[in-house]
């Protein structure tokens, strides 16, 4: 089963350093790095054959065309059918229209996609992606995120990002780092459930009823507290962060309600708390 694990953390948290150790560019001071069963220190070449790596600032030869650069990588990887591999990754990363263009003339977004294509060209078991959507426009980001999520189910993918909704959308495991330490290792869904506004219900009512509605709901045993969001809007915090939307709608059936919205909570809310030490 494919595992897409995400490394989250503020700048300087240690995400890139961790990835450089996994890929063998840095030797860890302690511990062991194993890639697909191969010890990176003792069997470095075998380990590297099994992984693809997209660095934060992926190097490339600007004077080469996209196809020539990918052919160079395929040759370095000693692929038996290099042209077939090139065709596959060009299609995957939607590089067809710039295939014959020199890399130095490409936009930052296309250069990023060339970097991703070279990481995928040998169909690795393990994929290490450092900020894979950095520099891409919204449409390109969505395309790359969809591509990562659709890769072969027998791959392990580790990516770092500061885009929190990226982790929510495509990852099934999330690690939050700060100052080189792992603060959290969980699923995005579990983290969202811990977010400050998880299952908070925002209720907008007629201004004439705001106080009555606050008193009515505040008397319920499953309500932790009610806060005034604006003149005509309340935020209801349920006990234990449980989903009480149905109960709220029942209680307010005969009231002048203009809107009720359940907030799921966001990973970035918890991220800020954890990296500030509030919820570490």
């Amino acid at each position: 089963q494919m595992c897409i694990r995400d490394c989250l953390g503020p700048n300087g948290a240690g995400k890139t350093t961790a990835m450089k150790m996994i890929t063998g560019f840095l030797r860890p001071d302690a511990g062991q790095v194993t890639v697909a069963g191969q010890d990176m220190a003792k069997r470095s070449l075998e380990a590297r054959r099994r992984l693809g790596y997209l660095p934060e600032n992926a190097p490339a030869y600007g004077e080469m065309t996209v196809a020539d650069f990918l052919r160079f990588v395929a040759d370095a990887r000693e692929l038996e059918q290099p042209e077939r591999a090139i065709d596959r990754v060009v299609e995957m990363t939607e590089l067809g229209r710039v295939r014959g263009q020199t890399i130095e003339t490409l936009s930052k977004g296309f250069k990023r996609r060339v970097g991703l294509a070279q990481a995928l060209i040998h169909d690795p078991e393990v994929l290490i992606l450092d900020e894979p959507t950095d520099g891409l426009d919204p449409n390109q980001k969505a395309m790359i995120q969809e591509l990562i999520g659709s890769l072969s189910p027998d791959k392990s993918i580790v990516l770092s990002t500061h885009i929190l909704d990226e982790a929510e959308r495509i990852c099934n495991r999330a690690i939050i780092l700060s100052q080189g330490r792992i603060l959290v290792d969980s699923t995005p869904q579990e983290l969202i459930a811990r977010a400050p506004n998880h299952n908070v219900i925002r209720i907008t009512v007629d201004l004439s009823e705001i106080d009555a509605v606050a008193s009515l709901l505040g008397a319920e045993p499953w309500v932790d507290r009610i806060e005034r969001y604006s003149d005509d809007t309340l935020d209801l915090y349920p006990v234990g962060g449980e989903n009480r939307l149905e109960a709220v709608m029942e209680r307010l059936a005969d009231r002048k309600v203009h809107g009720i919205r359940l907030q799921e909570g966001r990973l970035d809310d918890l991220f800020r708390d954890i990296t500030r030490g509030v919820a570490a």
Side-chain angles (χ1 to χ4, degrees):
Q1 183 179 1
M2 179 169 60
C3 175
I4 304 180
R5 178 164 294 197
D6 186 35
C7 291
L8 304 166
N11 292 336
K15 303 186 298 296
T16 295
T17 299
M19 291 188 159
K20 286 183 177 179
M21 288 190 289
I22 294 172
T23 53
F25 284 88
L26 291 177
R27 183 179 292 272
D29 295 330
Q32 181 185 33
V33 174
T34 302
V35 176
Q38 304 297 321
D39 189 311
M40 182 58 76
K42 297 177 181 178
R43 296 177 59 83
S44 176
L45 191 57
E46 289 300 316
R48 290 169 192 250
R49 283 196 177 106
R50 289 164 168 78
L51 65 81
Y53 179 36
L54 175 62
E56 187 175 9
N57 298 302
Y61 295 103
E63 70 277 9
M64 284 185 172
T65 66
V66 171
D68 285 341
F69 174 67
L70 293 176
R71 193 169 294 113
F72 165 75
V73 176
D75 289 343
R77 289 283 186 182
E78 299 180 337
L79 300 187
E80 293 183 359
Q81 297 179 310
E83 294 304 319
R84 179 178 293 184
I86 292 169
D87 290 342
R88 177 178 58 84
V89 296
V90 164
E91 182 178 357
M92 290 173 67
T93 54
E94 299 183 11
L95 287 169
R97 69 185 179 92
V98 297
R99 181 175 182 145
Q101 196 169 324
T102 56
I103 293 174
E104 63 188 359
T105 65
L106 298 178
S107 67
K108 185 176 181 180
F110 272 115
K111 287 178 181 177
R112 200 66 181 150
R113 284 195 262 175
V114 172
L116 182 58
Q118 66 79 27
L120 291 167
I121 198 164
H122 57 301
D123 194 21
E125 300 171 50
V126 180
L127 196 57
I128 310 295
L129 308 175
D130 197 354
E131 304 280 2
T133 59
D134 182 47
L136 305 187
D137 65 37
N139 290 333
Q140 292 173 328
K141 285 181 181 179
M143 185 272 288
I144 295 299
Q145 290 167 355
E146 183 177 348
L147 169 61
I148 294 170
S150 67
L151 289 173
S152 176
D154 58 356
K155 293 188 187 301
S156 293
I157 303 172
V158 179
L159 65 90
S160 73
T161 182
H162 61 273
I163 304 171
L164 278 300
D165 65 352
E166 192 162 82
E168 293 179 36
R169 185 175 297 116
I170 64 175
C171 296
N172 50 36
R173 203 75 187 169
I175 295 174
I176 297 180
L177 300 176
S178 183
Q179 298 180 344
R181 295 188 302 116
I182 294 176
L183 300 182
V184 172
D185 182 355
S186 186
T187 67
Q189 292 72 27
E190 289 170 349
L191 292 178
I192 290 170
R194 292 172 51 188
N197 288 334
H198 181 64
N199 281 340
V200 169
I201 301 171
R202 181 157 292 172
I203 307 159
T204 302
V205 300
D206 194 89
L207 189 58
S208 64
E209 293 214 82
I210 191 77
D211 292 331
V213 167
S215 298
L216 174 67
L217 294 175
E220 296 293 339
W222 40 265
V223 174
D224 179 64
R225 69 186 188 277
I226 293 177
E227 295 181 357
R228 193 80 168 255
Y229 178 76
S230 66
D231 288 345
D232 61 352
T233 302
L234 301 169
D235 279 347
L236 183 150
Y237 291 77
V239 172
E242 296 181 357
N243 185 339
R244 294 289 185 173
L245 180 61
E246 185 176 348
V248 169
M249 294 179 71
E250 288 178 358
R251 298 299 186 277
L252 301 182
D254 58 349
R255 298 289 178 172
K256 298 176 182 178
V257 177
H258 300 307
I260 299 178
R261 182 165 65 90
L262 179 68
Q263 301 183 75
E264 294 183 348
R266 291 191 54 80
L267 188 54
D268 53 359
D269 295 328
L270 183 65
F271 175 83
R272 283 191 293 269
D273 279 355
I274 288 175
T275 54
R276 288 172 184 163
V278 176

